[in-house]
Amino acid sequence: MRRLGPWIGALVVATLTAFALPVLANHSDQIDPHDTGGKLDLEEVAFDHVGAPTWRMSTFPTWTVRSIWDLGNFVVQLDTRGDAAADYVAVVRSDGRRLVAALFRLRRDGREIEVTPLRTTKGGSRAATVSVPLREVSIGPNRSSYFWSVLSSFTGGLCTRTCLDAVPDEGMVEQPLPGITPSPTPTPSPTPSPSPSPSPTPSVAPSG
């Protein structure tokens, strides 16, 4: 099976520690500020969990398939085993004529193994989508959810050094597995305040 390209592999390894620590989130669509340069500065990542999980990654600038060829890509990181590192990455890149994507499994010995090609499309002038069928990934035992995050990279123009943008900025988003509803956090009952003790009525000495 094919490995990740050397520069994509180095990019993934360099960012796993920074962006792969799980952080709970109560919504799946993520808005990101205009905080990095380059053509792939992320504005929003919209997540659709109906059917195969699908990410739509929208950027602030416009871009073409040719303009990011060998210069930029999107990476969806997946933590399916509940540890402190990503287990899979879905890499979206340009081959000069169209967007292509593939799913890679990240081994603990540092190797990246291609699992399967993925469906990806360009959405208008500022977005790309990619779908990852859950049947292609291994979910850890007794798991009720998995975690995801998105990373974009671009080199060129103002990005003389590679511009990276992570969504969310820190950690990952938790997504329940299909058919599993997360348990609500119980609201603690208010502790009743003790009733104040009545003040004794002062005695009046009889006059005499």
Side-chain angles (χ1 to χ4, degrees):
M1 289 187 175
R2 186 167 61 90
R3 291 168 57 95
L4 283 166
W7 68 277
I8 296 179
L11 169 67
V12 171
V13 171
T15 56
L16 288 181
T17 302
F19 302 122
L21 299 178
V23 172
L24 297 181
N26 58 8
H27 58 283
S28 53
D29 291 352
Q30 300 286 312
I31 305 296
D32 195 60
H34 202 335
D35 55 359
T36 64
K39 291 182 177 295
L40 301 186
D41 184 1
L42 291 166
E43 178 180 16
E44 179 183 18
V45 176
F47 178 70
D48 184 0
H49 59 82
V50 178
T54 299
W55 291 263
R56 187 178 193 275
M57 301 158 287
S58 302
T59 61
F60 284 98
T62 60
W63 51 275
T64 65
V65 170
R66 187 166 186 81
S67 70
I68 67 167
W69 182 26
D70 282 344
L71 299 176
N73 63 82
F74 300 95
V75 178
V76 178
Q77 300 181 114
L78 298 174
D79 172 15
T80 62
R81 304 192 65 83
D83 49 22
D87 301 294
Y88 295 87
V89 289
V91 179
V92 179
R93 62 182 181 83
S94 165
D95 67 1
R97 298 176 293 108
R98 59 191 178 95
L99 292 181
V100 294
L103 179 68
F104 293 84
R105 178 166 58 92
L106 305 180
R107 292 171 52 107
R108 293 297 175 260
D109 61 6
R111 292 194 297 161
E112 315 93 10
I113 307 300
E114 182 176 1
V115 177
T116 185
L118 296 174
R119 180 176 178 272
T120 183
T121 59
K122 192 170 190 309
S125 61
R126 300 188 301 116
T129 65
V130 64
S131 300
V132 179
L134 289 182
R135 66 177 180 273
E136 300 292 351
V137 302
S138 175
I139 305 293
N142 304 317
R143 292 301 305 272
S144 60
S145 63
Y146 59 94
F147 295 86
W148 63 264
S149 64
V150 170
L151 176 73
S152 71
S153 70
F154 185 80
T155 305
L158 297 177
C159 297
T160 53
R161 296 183 177 181
T162 302
C163 291
L164 302 175
D165 197 13
V167 177
D169 287 329
E170 296 181 359
M172 304 181 85
V173 179
E174 184 179 31
Q175 174 60 36
L177 291 170
I180 296 179
T181 303
S183 302
T185 302
T187 303
S189 302
T191 303
S193 301
S195 302
S197 302
S199 301
T201 304
S203 300
V204 179
S207 55

